[in-house]
Amino acid sequence: MRFYPKENLSKLDPEAYFELTQELSQIDKNDIVSELTKHPSIYSYYNGLMIMQKGKLDRLNNNLLHFYSSVRKDESENNRSKGGKATAVYLDDFVNSNSEYLDFKNKIQEEEQIYLLLKSVCIMLDHKKDMLIQLSANLRSETKLYNH
């Protein structure tokens, strides 16, 4: 089974995501016990990656807010030193037109996409768990029928 280590998450493109979810969603109906046994560690791995990715995303958002505030403050002080007063709209436009700000926003969008893909993997694994439980229950019921 292919796992995407933390350092390769940036390579989680649509094709790799599709392959990953196809692989992770497979169930060997002939070995439900093994499927149930290994499922918690797989779920834990991807849930852990999702949590780490969320932390990374939160830190980037904090950095963006700091950058935004710093650029606004600097530009406001620059205008004040020239005897003017910058309006809120002017300061917003000034920051939004800054190429570093755009780079920050684009990076956040890329990292958010990875976070959402990992969240989707965890949701799929939750569904798989439910299916495994149902299949296991069905198997126990069938066993009872044949034993009577």
Side-chain angles (χ1 to χ4, degrees):
M1 184 168 295
R2 181 184 315 149
F3 293 101
Y4 284 91
K6 182 180 167 190
E7 59 272 5
N8 288 337
L9 286 176
S10 62
K11 294 180 172 60
L12 191 58
D13 62 15
E15 185 178 324
Y17 172 76
F18 179 75
E19 289 175 19
L20 176 66
T21 56
Q22 289 299 306
E23 192 171 330
L24 287 173
S25 64
Q26 296 298 311
I27 294 175
D28 181 357
K29 292 180 185 177
N30 297 318
D31 195 2
I32 298 298
V33 173
S34 176
E35 291 283 344
L36 283 165
T37 303
K38 67 183 178 182
H39 188 76
S41 65
I42 294 169
Y43 181 86
S44 178
Y45 178 81
Y46 284 98
N47 197 59
L49 286 179
M50 181 183 70
I51 290 167
M52 288 187 280
Q53 185 65 23
K54 178 68 168 106
K56 183 177 185 180
L57 186 57
D58 289 346
R59 287 187 297 279
L60 284 171
N61 276 310
N62 290 341
N63 291 340
L64 178 68
L65 181 60
H66 180 265
F67 180 81
Y68 181 87
S69 297
S70 295
V71 171
R72 272 183 68 110
K73 181 179 175 244
D74 290 348
E75 182 60 16
S76 181
E77 289 172 358
N78 185 34
N79 274 288
R80 214 171 301 136
S81 70
K82 293 178 183 175
K85 183 174 188 227
T87 65
V89 171
Y90 169 80
L91 292 173
D92 285 343
D93 289 346
F94 184 82
V95 175
N96 287 325
S97 66
N98 182 298
S99 61
E100 283 182 77
Y101 182 74
L102 178 62
D103 291 343
F104 255 121
K105 298 242 340 161
N106 287 337
K107 180 66 175 164
I108 287 172
Q109 286 176 332
E110 290 169 13
E111 297 299 330
E112 186 170 27
Q113 179 177 326
I114 293 168
Y115 167 73
L116 292 172
L117 289 172
L118 288 169
K119 186 174 182 179
S120 180
V121 168
C122 289
I123 290 169
M124 180 272 303
L125 288 169
D126 273 336
H127 289 289
K128 182 178 180 178
K129 174 199 67 169
D130 294 341
M131 290 172 55
L132 286 168
I133 290 169
Q134 186 61 51
L135 288 169
S136 177
N138 292 353
L139 187 61
R140 285 191 306 274
S141 294
E142 287 177 23
T143 304
K144 286 179 185 177
L145 286 175
Y146 292 117
N147 288 336
H148 283 89

